Amino acid sequence: MTRTRFRASSPAHCSMCEHRLTATEWNHFVSMAEESLHSEILCRDCMEAHLLLCRECSSRYTADGLCESCGEKAYGVAC
């Protein structure tokens, strides 16, 4: 029996390199980037090259180095 794997694509393209994101890449971006960054869609390579991981939790990519959640909890800052 032969198994065939299908790669679903999304209509999204990376804002920097114009790479067409697959559904998996799109889900990765949405899960790793802050909501404020969702207007600028980035592929994994561009996200890692141009954004910073949150210095507190290291689980979200952010433009300034501190995600909204950690900013509110640790510093009482509304980002």
Side-chain angles (χ1 to χ4, degrees):
M1 180 174 171
T2 304
R3 291 186 184 197
T4 305
R5 292 181 64 171
F6 295 100
R7 295 187 105 196
S9 64
S10 70
H13 288 81
C14 177
S15 299
M16 298 236 167
C17 70
E18 295 298 318
H19 168 74
R20 185 175 183 155
L21 276 65
T22 65
T24 303
E25 290 170 325
W26 168 251
N27 289 334
H28 176 74
F29 170 74
V30 170
S31 69
M32 292 296 293
E34 279 191 317
E35 283 187 33
S36 61
L37 300 173
H38 289 182
S39 62
E40 292 289 325
I41 300 166
L42 300 174
C43 67
R44 182 183 300 232
D45 292 337
C46 290
M47 187 167 51
E48 290 174 356
H50 299 286
L51 298 177
L52 303 168
L53 272 175
C54 174
R55 64 180 173 256
E56 293 292 322
C57 66
S58 298
S59 64
R60 291 245 181 236
Y61 281 95
T62 180
D64 63 4
L66 187 65
C67 72
E68 293 174 5
S69 177
C70 289
E72 291 171 3
K73 287 180 199 172
Y75 302 104
V77 176
C79 296

